[in-house]
Amino acid sequence: EGEEGQEEGQEEEPSKEVRAAHRKAFSDAVAIIQTEVDALIAGSPGQAFVALTSLRNEFEDWEEGMIDGPMPSMATPEQLRQQFLYVLVDKASWRAVRDYMRHVEQIEDGHMGGGTSMSYKFFALFRKGLAAVRSALRSGSNSRALAELIALTKAMKDDDQWWGDTDVPEEAVSITKALGGLWSTVLDTDVAKPHLATIRAWLGHVKREWEGEAASHLGQPVRFKFDAASLPTETPEKTVASKRAVPAAIAPKAKAAKITFTKSDAVEAWTHRLDGDLAHRQSSAVQLRCEGGGKKRAIVVSGAYPLKAVGFALAEAFGVAVDSFDPHPNKGKAPPPPGLGLKICQD
């Protein structure tokens, strides 16, 4: 038993030589992939190369606790090719699409917190994207519609604040449903046929996150149905059955985590009793003295911090954070249910 424990300990704490070997293997494999990509771009002058997923160093993810199980094997070009998804789209169409990720970052950088949600601005941006796709389809520009959909979906996939910090979950559900419907239309066009397998694999990753983690967080079932109508690989019965399974699995957790408030006149008046002093309080700092699990902590947060950001700070202070801490009041990932709960008591 002692030897087994020692071996397990060695696996959890790899030596410097092992770390260096994994870094070199990953670097060498990435260099081979980069050479292949450069050759592909050179041979496709009228096409734009669009990476749908990134290359991940599974060894580093494992060391940081993002992957469970035994130590991953050394990275190889074959392994990276399987995780790296990309497409070639019409270059002129790609240059014409809106840079959704840049707009998302601008919304986050310009938001000052104060308990307000950024999701309204995100939803307005995404609605513009959906309108642009519909406009391209009406004009017969399927290449533009495909490029617009890829750019919009990538931005929504890469930044989860639109569903992670919203007080209008029904709008998030509506947008994902509309996005899936447009994907169904575009995947049925000739311009998408050469990339069908790759795009469907990528959208499958998106679907699992939105219908799983996002739906659990929102407390509502999320539907992201994207398959082209002409594809015989998935019947309507199978699609409905698989999607019903997700809400059923998450419903108990969502209901348990959901907080409800009595909507009486007295509670409403108490909630807004300090509205006139809001500007002063947001410009102040608050010291919180906390105790839990045998630990005591004192932290200072801005009065403009939303409760979500306060929760992240507390989780970091007590060493139970599930994501890398970011001081930005609107960045970070909420713990999964039951997670961290904040009880607001009326004096």
Side-chain angles (χ1 to χ4, degrees), residues 126-307:
F126 299 158
R127 289 291 183 188
K128 290 180 181 179
L130 297 175
V133 176
R134 296 188 183 101
S135 176
L137 289 172
R138 285 195 298 268
S139 65
S141 180
N142 294 336
S143 296
R144 173 65 182 273
L146 175 63
E148 201 83 43
L149 268 180
I150 291 175
L152 175 59
T153 307
K154 272 178 58 67
M156 294 176 65
K157 172 68 171 66
D158 293 344
D159 193 294
D160 60 10
Q161 288 295 313
W162 59 274
W163 61 259
D165 182 23
T166 181
D167 51 8
V168 280
E170 62 277 5
E171 181 67 2
V173 171
S174 174
I175 286 178
T176 53
K177 182 179 179 181
L179 184 70
L182 290 174
W183 268 115
S184 298
T185 301
V186 171
L187 290 180
D188 226 4
T189 64
D190 291 337
V191 71
K193 290 296 191 291
H195 319 291
L196 202 54
T198 299
I199 293 177
R200 290 186 71 208
W202 174 55
L203 293 179
H205 295 307
V206 178
K207 177 186 178 76
R208 284 189 289 275
E209 178 181 333
W210 290 352
E211 293 190 356
E213 184 180 358
S216 178
H217 181 83
L218 294 170
Q220 296 190 18
V222 175
R223 284 176 171 267
F224 183 56
K225 182 180 178 181
F226 57 83
D227 269 333
S230 62
L231 291 177
T233 56
E234 193 174 22
T235 65
E237 291 77 15
K238 290 182 180 179
T239 301
V240 173
S242 63
K243 289 186 177 181
R244 281 175 181 165
V246 174
I250 67 172
K253 295 182 180 179
K255 289 180 180 178
K258 189 174 181 180
I259 302 174
T260 58
F261 297 92
T262 304
K263 296 184 180 300
S264 67
D265 293 339
V267 171
E268 186 73 14
W270 178 83
T271 303
H272 296 283
R273 73 194 190 287
L274 299 176
D275 284 1
D277 198 29
L278 184 61
H280 171 71
R281 290 177 179 272
Q282 288 184 346
S283 63
S284 65
V286 181
Q287 184 184 68
L288 304 175
R289 290 174 292 174
C290 313
E291 183 175 354
K295 301 177 181 179
K296 293 183 179 180
R297 298 288 186 270
I299 65 172
V300 178
V301 297
S302 166
Y305 256 34
L307 282 177

Side-chain angles (χ1 to χ4, degrees), residues 93-113:
S93 297
W94 184 251
R95 288 176 175 173
V97 302
R98 186 190 302 265
D99 189 346
Y100 294 99
M101 198 65 236
R102 180 174 62 84
H103 284 286
V104 166
E105 292 172 351
Q106 288 176 344
I107 291 173
E108 292 182 347
D109 292 341
H111 190 70
M112 299 304 294

Side-chain angles (χ1 to χ4, degrees), residues 113-116 165 259 261 288 299 301-315 329-330 334-335 340-345:
T116 60
D165 182 23
I259 302 174
F261 297 92
L288 304 175
I299 65 172
V301 297
S302 166
Y305 256 34
L307 282 177
K308 178 180 177 182
V310 174
F312 292 158
L314 288 173
N330 294 290
L340 176 67
L342 297 174
K343 181 180 291 186
I344 304 175
C345 300

Side-chain angles (χ1 to χ4, degrees), residues 118-130:
M118 297 180 290
S119 61
Y120 295 94
K121 294 181 180 180
F122 288 140
F123 294 150
L125 172 65
F126 299 158
R127 289 291 183 188
K128 290 180 181 179
L130 297 175

